Amino acid sequence: PTNPTDKVMTHMYEHLYGWFLFDLKRRRSKIKMLEIGLGCGAHLAGGYRLWTKLFPPPNEVWEAEYNKECVDEFRSKGLLDAATGIVTGDQKDPEVLRRWVNETGGNFDFIIDDGGHTNMQILNSFNVLFHEALKPGGLYFIEDLQVGRTRGYDDSKGEHIIADVIQEWVDQLLIYGRRMRAKDMPDQRAGQASYSHPLPAKVQSIHVQAEMAVIVKCPVQNRCPRWT
């Protein structure tokens, strides 16, 4: 291809995407997705081309991009499919994120964060979009987690390195995710309180590979770990 995606050429993200998205495509007749990070620059990101090929209409492909001028330029040059929905703004801003939810209608089958990659951009986006824009049973992918400790990407002063946050969530799922007997509940609550990053509500499972994670939302409340 003239503009291959680094999702495959560099990072080998096809492993997690393949395991989850082909099954999703098999089970659902229409899919709605959002990717943060259109990839404005000298060339349109190959990831966008990948999604439009995998999920042509009547599926819905939405892209979120910080650089509105770049989006307008791509639109004027005919580089964006007419069927593609676009929202713009800073993914670190919760008000912008909620505007995205309103403009897109939410209810996404899966969301991909391939945006600015700073820790607070990732965390703020997850805190809004996982709960307010992802449908039950949906998938939330986060790419490029390897940069979280790197200068220019850690805007949390070391307090919210996303790789560390996810490790704490996994720890809580493993230890406290089962249904507890009533007499064990005080110890469970004390254990939960010891974490800097409590496991968010409605997280069913977390899966990782090199540089990437996918967080699965509970399909229905009674299929969640009891205390989430």
Side-chain angles (χ1 to χ4, degrees), residues 1-217:
T2 56
N3 189 22
T5 172
D6 69 347
K7 297 178 191 296
V8 174
M9 301 300 290
T10 303
H11 300 290
M12 296 187 293
Y13 293 155
E14 70 270 18
H15 297 304
L16 273 185
Y17 283 133
W19 290 333
F20 285 94
L21 295 186
F22 285 108
D23 178 65
L24 182 71
K25 194 173 182 180
R26 177 183 59 81
R27 290 185 290 107
R28 297 184 181 173
S29 59
K30 182 180 178 181
I31 289 173
K32 183 178 182 181
M33 64 155 291
L34 169 68
E35 180 178 44
I36 304 172
L38 177 62
C40 279
H43 302 284
L44 186 61
Y48 166 70
R49 294 300 181 198
L50 173 66
W51 305 130
T52 55
K53 287 183 181 296
L54 282 176
F55 302 106
N59 300 295
E60 289 186 53
V61 174
W62 284 84
E63 294 279 344
E65 172 57 43
Y66 178 82
N67 189 338
K68 184 178 184 302
E69 291 73 20
C70 179
V71 171
D72 291 341
E73 179 183 355
F74 282 163
R75 283 281 198 205
S76 68
K77 293 179 178 179
L79 297 176
L80 298 175
D81 294 342
T84 302
I86 304 285
V87 289
T88 58
D90 183 358
Q91 70 174 115
K92 190 174 179 178
D93 185 341
E95 291 187 7
V96 168
L97 294 163
R98 291 191 171 93
R99 173 170 58 78
W100 291 357
V101 177
N102 290 332
E103 291 181 6
T104 63
N107 204 37
F108 291 103
D109 293 283
F110 68 95
I111 295 171
I112 299 166
D113 189 340
D114 187 20
H117 303 314
T118 75
N119 291 311
M120 294 312 301
Q121 285 177 325
I122 295 171
L123 188 60
N124 289 355
S125 296
F126 179 87
N127 286 339
V128 173
L129 299 178
F130 181 84
H131 298 289
E132 300 180 24
L134 190 65
K135 67 171 54 173
L139 308 167
Y140 197 102
F141 296 91
I142 306 174
E143 296 187 7
D144 297 321
L145 291 170
Q146 75 279 6
V147 302
R149 303 183 197 282
T150 306
R151 183 181 301 176
Y153 291 97
D154 181 18
D155 52 353
S156 71
K157 298 181 179 179
E159 295 181 5
H160 306 292
I161 307 295
I162 299 302
D164 295 341
V165 173
I166 290 174
Q167 288 186 59
E168 285 202 359
W169 292 350
V170 169
D171 197 56
Q172 292 167 78
L173 271 176
L174 291 171
I175 297 173
Y176 301 109
R178 67 184 176 91
R179 294 183 178 274
M180 304 290 287
R181 294 172 296 179
K183 70 182 185 67
D184 296 326
M185 293 301 288
D187 289 338
Q188 177 176 334
R189 294 192 184 98
Q192 291 170 232
S194 68
Y195 291 96
S196 300
H197 302 95
L199 180 69
K202 300 184 179 179
V203 171
Q204 184 184 56
S205 60
I206 299 171
H207 309 260
V208 301
Q209 68 159 80
E211 304 178 351
M212 181 185 185
V214 57
I215 301 160
V216 182
K217 192 171 185 177

